[in-house]
Amino acid sequence: MISPAITAIVIAVLAALAFGGGFAFSDWRAAAQIQRLNTNNAMLSAANDRCATDIQSVRMALEALTVATAKREKDAIKAMRGAAIAAATHTGNAKKIRSLRPVPAATPGKQCEMINTEQIQYVQSRQRHDLSH
């Protein structure tokens, strides 16, 4: 039948083929895993780059918002000062108007003249005020 030497050679050849096939299969699996990891790495790198770009955009937007807020705040303070001055002027005018002596009711023609005079003075003061601003 078959001699023990031939059997040993056949077993050795089969073992070598099995061992080589295992290495080939292992290399194929490792190559597939490396390819998958490279793909994942590329996707994560792209996402990281987008994230860095987004962070930079947010920082720039926040800086612009901070500058705009500071300008609005400064403008609001300036407007409030101007409004306080205008309010004081209008309050003074109102007090002045209230302190005027009433025109006697017995002279209706004089009432109209007084009202016309007051209106003219008021319009002239408004025009001077508008020209000064």
Side-chain angles (χ1 to χ4, degrees):
M1 298 229 233
I2 303 179
S3 77
I6 294 177
T7 303
I9 292 174
V10 169
I11 290 175
V13 169
L14 288 176
L17 285 175
F19 193 68
F23 268 123
F25 183 72
S26 176
D27 286 346
W28 174 77
R29 284 183 54 199
Q33 187 172 9
I34 288 173
Q35 183 179 4
R36 182 179 55 81
L37 291 173
N38 284 337
T39 302
N40 287 347
N41 189 32
M43 288 180 3
L44 292 174
S45 293
N48 192 32
D49 291 344
R50 283 192 307 272
C51 184
T53 302
D54 291 346
I55 289 171
Q56 186 63 24
S57 296
V58 168
R59 284 185 180 152
M60 289 172 46
L62 282 176
E63 287 175 18
L65 187 60
T66 301
V67 168
T69 301
K71 184 181 182 319
R72 276 190 300 224
E73 189 174 323
K74 195 181 291 183
D75 291 346
I77 290 170
K78 186 177 175 182
M80 289 297 289
R81 286 182 186 144
I85 292 169
T89 302
H90 290 299
T91 302
N93 287 339
K95 286 179 182 177
K96 181 180 170 185
I97 290 170
R98 275 190 248 128
S99 69
L100 293 175
R101 60 180 175 80
V103 177
T107 55
K110 290 283 186 180
Q111 285 180 336
C112 289
E113 282 181 33
M114 290 296 291
I115 291 171
N116 285 336
T117 304
E118 290 173 5
Q119 287 177 343
I120 290 170
Q121 289 172 351
Y122 176 76
V123 169
Q124 287 173 346
S125 72
R126 290 293 301 180
Q127 287 174 345
R128 281 192 304 271
H129 173 69
D130 290 343
L131 290 176
S132 67
H133 286 86

